[in-house]
Amino acid sequence: MPLTLSKRCLEIAPSMTLAIDARAKELKAQGVDVVGFGAGEPDFDTPEYIRDAAKHALDAGMTRYTPVSGTLHLREEICTKLQCDNNLTYTPAQVIVTTGAKQALFNALSAIVNPGDEVLLPSPCWVSYPEMIRMAGGVPVMVPGNEDQNFLAGRAEIEPYVTEKTKALILNSPNNPNGCVWPREMLEGIADLAVEKGFYVISDEIYEKLVYDDVKHVSIASLGEAIKEQTIVVNGVSKTYAMTGWRLGYAAGPLSVIKAMTSFQSHSTSNANSIAQYATAVALTQGEQVLQEMIHEFDVRRRLMYSRINRIEGLKSHLPKGAFYMMLNISGLIGKKWRGREIKDSMSFADILLTAKNVAMVPGIAFGAENYMRLSYATSQAQINKGMDRLEEFVSELE
């Protein structure tokens, strides 16, 4: 038999966001002054009280295996968090702790998706969703969003894509890449549809705390017992507590699904990092002041980036209501040239901009949104201004 790679792996596209970030870091390592708007992680340090908790865990010898689904202490704290923040009642047996929210998403898909099952994705959507669905043997089905409606897809937009093969819908609110937040009334329509048609909802709520302008995050699972029994809530501490490198996520849902996810995880990675588990339990019980300070700074950056973009001729964006991303509409620049190089699409725009002005952005095609770019404002105001100065200069040089 020839020594070939698996068809499944060959069909998976690498993460474009990580690829752009890696290229930017490579240039920085060469001494190039690159402004990066690509990476989706806060630039803040992990709060001191969480770092201290990790040190305590080390000193206390918490360095051994834990139950696959996570320590009872952490799962109890997660249950308390879900009750207090989301009005959701779960038992520790209905919670699994994972190596980042990404693993929780992949475990959930692996637990419910059979070959050929369809999973609905309001788009533009995070780059990893379609690939995870394919890795689980499913078929991603894009539900296009409209920029004029802040890319929000409700029941009216989703229902035409529901078929007898529909197994699940992935709902990410607040959203990556566009920062939209689904309002309660729209979620109610989606919940009714899911219950009527009989499909799961995987609710990715990793950015739930990062909302602005008095917008409220609502978990779709909180809208009634029927939809709760069909929803897998996914969350983590990476974005909220600036703990991206700690790799700690979790999921809560129907007992049968969580048991299946735990069995799957038991043969893949076993438990999440024991020290990070203890630190996360502490993170969930403190830090409200630190969190509010981060949210305030993100809000300032959000408004700064929005105002700078919308005064550049040929560019526009909507003011996002959550997360720390903004979609930049570049359709007004398609067909223009920089020193003979034509901007044909989001990929060429990203490549030319990085070459011309050392500014890194992620092409919208990675999220299913051609002629857009995704910018992260999880960087300093100084870097935002520097990057916007370069972008403005770049656009002025186009012919």
Side-chain angles (χ1 to χ4, degrees):
M1 180 178 292
L3 301 176
T4 59
L5 298 175
S6 72
K7 181 181 178 182
R8 179 174 59 182
C9 280
L10 289 173
E11 291 177 347
I12 295 170
S15 170
M16 200 173 295
T17 55
L18 295 180
I20 292 291
D21 188 50
R23 186 176 171 194
K25 287 178 179 176
E26 182 180 344
L27 289 172
K28 287 181 180 180
Q30 296 170 6
V32 179
D33 180 20
V34 176
V35 177
F37 292 127
E41 66 176 339
D43 60 328
F44 306 109
D45 290 333
T46 302
E48 185 176 10
Y49 79 96
I50 300 174
R51 303 198 307 269
D52 287 343
K55 295 171 187 175
H56 172 73
L58 280 169
D59 292 340
M62 300 180 192
T63 57
R64 300 185 181 278
Y65 291 131
T66 76
V68 171
S69 60
T71 65
L72 177 60
H73 174 54
L74 176 53
R75 285 181 287 133
E76 287 175 339
E77 291 295 348
I78 290 169
C79 288
T80 299
K81 179 265 174 223
L82 291 168
Q83 181 69 65
C84 294
D85 290 351
N86 310 107
N87 195 29
L88 290 169
T89 302
Y90 292 103
T91 66
Q94 292 176 282
V95 174
I96 180 173
V97 178
T98 58
T99 304
K102 183 177 280 189
Q103 186 182 26
L105 290 163
F106 183 62
N107 285 356
L109 288 165
S110 299
I112 66 175
V113 172
N114 289 309
D117 284 349
E118 296 176 350
V119 180
L120 305 178
L121 287 173
S123 66
C125 65
W126 182 43
V127 296
S128 291
Y129 292 144
E131 304 308 324
M132 285 185 181
I133 293 166
R134 294 187 183 101
M135 290 166 69
V139 179
V141 177
M142 298 294 187
V143 180
N146 188 316
E147 183 181 8
D148 293 336
Q149 298 175 345
N150 293 318
F151 299 105
L152 290 167
R155 174 170 182 154
E157 290 75 29
I158 295 170
E159 189 165 10
Y161 293 87
V162 177
T163 72
E164 60 182 14
K165 294 183 179 180
T166 301
K167 190 62 172 287
L169 163 75
I170 297 181
L171 188 67
N172 178 210
S173 178
N175 183 266
N176 173 10
N178 55 62
C180 65
V181 181
W182 268 259
R184 174 181 289 271
E185 59 271 19
M186 192 171 279
L187 290 174
E188 288 172 345
I190 296 171
D192 290 343
L193 177 64
V195 172
E196 289 173 19
K197 301 295 184 178
F199 57 82
Y200 286 103
V201 175
I202 299 176
S203 184
D204 184 351
E205 303 179 13
I206 191 70
Y207 298 99
E208 68 162 330
K209 299 284 190 179
L210 304 181
V211 290
Y212 317 102
D213 301 333
D214 296 322
V215 168
K216 303 297 182 184
H217 165 76
V218 177
S219 175
I220 192 171
S222 69
L223 299 179
E225 196 60 33
I227 186 61
K228 182 187 174 192
E229 286 302 308
Q230 294 176 210
T231 301
I232 302 131
V233 176
V234 173
N235 210 321
V237 293
S238 294
K239 317 297 183 178
T240 303
Y241 297 98
M243 294 175 67
T244 51
W246 298 66
R247 307 311 303 135
L248 207 296
Y250 59 86
L255 184 59
S256 59
V257 175
I258 298 301
K259 282 185 175 181
M261 291 171 64
T262 303
S263 294
F264 186 84
Q265 183 166 299
S266 72
H267 294 293
S268 56
T269 61
S270 296
N271 62 273
N273 181 280
S274 59
I275 299 156
Q277 286 191 58
Y278 180 79
T280 295
V282 173
L284 293 175
T285 61
Q286 302 178 37
E288 189 62 30
Q289 181 179 346
V290 174
L291 174 59
Q292 291 307 313
E293 290 171 357
M294 286 195 291
I295 293 171
H296 173 74
E297 179 60 23
F298 280 138
D299 187 22
V300 172
R301 297 172 181 184
R302 174 183 71 119
R303 294 178 182 278
L304 172 62
M305 180 176 283
Y306 173 76
S307 66
R308 291 296 308 267
I309 286 173
N310 284 283
R311 73 188 198 200
I312 301 174
E313 186 176 355
L315 299 178
K316 64 178 181 178
S317 66
H318 281 260
L319 187 64
K321 298 298 184 181
F324 41 64
Y325 306 105
M326 191 173 296
M327 294 292 281
L328 171 63
N329 187 324
I330 62 167
S331 57
L333 304 183
I334 300 300
K336 294 193 174 187
K337 296 180 179 180
W338 182 82
R339 297 183 182 179
R341 295 182 62 185
E342 183 179 356
I343 298 174
K344 299 178 181 179
D345 48 29
S346 60
M347 282 290 292
S348 57
F349 182 92
D351 185 54
I352 297 170
L353 179 62
L354 186 56
T355 300
K357 301 298 176 182
N358 297 319
V359 175
M361 300 180 185
V362 184
I365 189 62
F367 310 97
E370 187 54 279
N371 297 341
Y372 290 87
M373 308 298 293
R374 189 199 75 173
L375 284 72
S376 167
Y377 49 89
T379 189
S380 70
Q381 295 178 51
Q383 285 294 97
I384 290 172
N385 274 318
K386 182 190 289 188
M388 292 298 106
D389 287 344
R390 293 181 183 183
L391 177 62
E392 190 168 7
E393 183 179 73
F394 174 72
V395 172
S396 72
E397 296 172 0
L398 297 177
E399 300 174 347

